[in-house]
Amino acid sequence: MSILVCGGAGYIGSHVVRALIDAGDDVVVLDNLITGHVDAVHEKAKLELGDLKDDEFMKRVFNENKIDGVIDFAAFSLVGESVKEPLKYFENNFYGTLCLLKHMKSYKVNKIVFSSTAATYGEPENIPILENDRTFPTNPYGESKLSVEKMLKWCDKAYGIKYTALRYFNVAGAHPSGEIGEDHDPETHLIPIILEVALGKREKINIYGDDYPTMDGTCIRDYIHVMDLADAHILALKRLNAGNPSDIFNLGNGEGFSVKEVLDIARNVTGHAILSEISSRRDGDPAKLIANSNRSIKELNWIPKYNSLEKIIETAWNWHQNHPHGYQD
Ligand code: UFG
């Protein structure tokens, strides 16, 4: 199969591209490199540099490449920034995907796997969270992704474009080779920041609040390895190719770790003390997010392989040690 991966030079996209190539697929990566890295793109993938919102560019990409299906990661994903600049998020995440769907419709490409998020739920009603629980995003990032899910539903009805939306929980880790991994600027995520402290690139990690209603007062999250996530995308495409209907799935390990627990495991994995300090809460952080991913396991036949936080942090540590300055190294 020939797959168009939008945002394939980014953190999650680049790992999915690897997995697709390892599975024998042909891959066209479309990326504007605003947050992506050329060096993250596998040498066997064809790279198309440009933007989803550029009509002429998109026509050329669809004319020149045979495309059987699309995986769409192209998005901004900083929750805090989205609150300050909602239009930037709706323009890129919602309007960008709208443009992509217009071209898919014109060129009769009718399968898409969409990168969605646990942020669509907002403050959860139940733990663990099920796909049909209430969706009430507390930030424009989550709202932009939920809006795309809704647009996809109507595009399926009207044009027969089949979709699978995958709602990721906290993605972490790196390819086991240590060749690709997480490199954001600015970095805002917990595990890479902790590892930057271990590397001596930062003095300490600020723990955002220890007064949440959790056992140690810090926020609880469900961490999932980026390669397990990659497997789920391949299975989701396979499921659509087998003629199954559009659907939405959670992707997490179903186990929650507090910020302090993550820190302790990282101290064990790295052998570094990793200085921390309690600071005030970060706006918009729910106390606890844990997925119920039973439907992904059953319907996608998804079997997570890196389902322990030690394994997740080990692969991330391997990447950070080999690439202390990310793709600049
Ligand atoms: N945290 C700290 N200190 C830091 C960074 C993070 O204490 O320096 C805490 C956060 O407050 C949170 C936890 O560590 O409790 C995890 O934070 P991340 O920033 O790593 O991840 P989030 O849970 O905020 O965000 C993730 C994804 C988003 C997605 C969101 C859904 O990265 O894209 O889950 O809620 F929107």
Side-chain angles (χ1 to χ4, degrees), residues 77-79 117-120 122 139 141-142 168-171 188-194 202 205-209 212 218-221 223 259 279 281-282 284-287 289:
S77 61
L78 298 178
V79 170
T117 168
T120 52
N139 55 65
Y141 166 65
Y168 318 150
F169 282 64
N170 286 61
V171 188
T188 63
H189 294 108
L190 181 65
I191 292 177
I193 290 180
I194 287 177
R202 290 178 193 245
I205 167 102
N206 289 310
I207 298 178
Y208 296 143
Y212 285 95
T218 64
C219 288
I220 292 180
R221 293 288 182 273
Y223 293 87
V259 174
S279 64
R281 288 183 177 199
R282 184 170 70 176
D285 270 344
L289 291 174

Side-chain angles (χ1 to χ4, degrees), residues 224-296:
I224 168 175
H225 195 279
V226 66
M227 291 313 295
D228 285 335
L229 200 70
D231 286 349
H233 286 76
I234 292 179
L235 292 166
L237 265 182
K238 212 167 150 184
R239 186 177 165 280
L240 286 179
N241 281 329
N244 287 293
S246 297
D247 211 334
I248 296 174
F249 295 99
N250 282 342
L251 290 174
N253 277 314
E255 197 181 351
F257 292 89
S258 73
V259 174
K260 284 186 177 169
E261 285 176 325
V262 175
L263 201 44
D264 283 341
I265 294 172
R267 286 179 176 130
N268 282 337
V269 168
T270 63
H272 288 269
I274 311 179
L275 194 63
S276 68
E277 189 175 284
I278 307 296
S279 64
S280 52
R281 288 183 177 199
R282 184 170 70 176
D283 276 351
D285 270 344
K288 197 170 181 180
L289 291 174
I290 301 175
N292 178 323
S293 305
N294 289 348
R295 289 188 60 253
S296 296

Side-chain angles (χ1 to χ4, degrees), residues 45 55 71 85 143 185 216 238 243 304 319 322-323:
D55 209 47
I71 307 184
E85 294 193 65
E143 195 82 75
D185 185 19
D216 63 16
K238 212 167 150 184
W319 154 256
N322 287 328
H323 301 267

Side-chain angles (χ1 to χ4, degrees), residues 79-305:
V79 170
E81 183 188 59
S82 79
V83 177
K84 293 194 188 91
E85 294 193 65
L87 292 178
K88 175 173 172 181
Y89 277 69
F90 283 100
E91 182 176 22
N92 194 54
N93 299 2
F94 182 80
Y95 179 64
T97 309
L98 184 153
C99 296
L100 170 65
L101 287 165
K102 258 185 5 196
H103 293 284
M104 287 178 63
K105 173 179 172 264
S106 306
Y107 288 84
K108 301 192 171 31
V109 177
N110 61 4
K111 285 175 204 77
I112 178 167
V113 176
F114 174 65
S115 160
S116 189
T117 168
T120 52
Y121 295 109
E123 197 61 60
E125 276 180 305
N126 304 304
I127 295 288
I129 304 171
L130 287 163
E131 287 87 347
N132 56 8
D133 281 352
R134 179 190 63 189
T135 46
F136 195 73
T138 49
N139 55 65
Y141 166 65
E143 195 82 75
S144 70
K145 292 284 184 173
L146 184 61
S147 306
V148 172
E149 287 188 6
K150 291 179 179 173
M151 174 165 62
L152 286 167
K153 181 184 81 179
W154 294 109
C155 288
D156 179 359
K157 241 190 163 72
Y159 318 128
I161 296 177
K162 298 292 165 204
Y163 69 92
T164 304
L166 299 176
R167 291 181 179 160
Y168 318 150
F169 282 64
N170 286 61
V171 188
H175 192 272
S177 65
E179 287 166 12
I180 52 173
E182 194 164 4
D183 179 4
H184 295 122
D185 185 19
E187 188 51 79
T188 63
H189 294 108
L190 181 65
I191 292 177
I193 290 180
I194 287 177
L195 297 178
E196 286 180 6
V197 180
L199 278 175
K201 285 180 67 188
R202 290 178 193 245
E203 189 204 338
K204 59 175 194 293
I205 167 102
N206 289 310
I207 298 178
Y208 296 143
D210 67 348
D211 56 351
Y212 285 95
T214 60
M215 78 280 182
D216 63 16
T218 64
C219 288
I220 292 180
R221 293 288 182 273
D222 181 344
Y223 293 87
I224 168 175
H225 195 279
V226 66
M227 291 313 295
D228 285 335
L229 200 70
D231 286 349
H233 286 76
I234 292 179
L235 292 166
L237 265 182
K238 212 167 150 184
R239 186 177 165 280
L240 286 179
N241 281 329
N244 287 293
S246 297
D247 211 334
I248 296 174
F249 295 99
N250 282 342
L251 290 174
N253 277 314
E255 197 181 351
F257 292 89
S258 73
V259 174
K260 284 186 177 169
E261 285 176 325
V262 175
L263 201 44
D264 283 341
I265 294 172
R267 286 179 176 130
N268 282 337
V269 168
T270 63
H272 288 269
I274 311 179
L275 194 63
S276 68
E277 189 175 284
I278 307 296
S279 64
S280 52
R281 288 183 177 199
R282 184 170 70 176
D283 276 351
D285 270 344
K288 197 170 181 180
L289 291 174
I290 301 175
N292 178 323
S293 305
N294 289 348
R295 289 188 60 253
S296 296
I297 292 167
K298 191 161 168 267
E299 306 278 329
L300 298 177
N301 298 316
W302 180 57
I303 307 170
K305 300 186 192 77

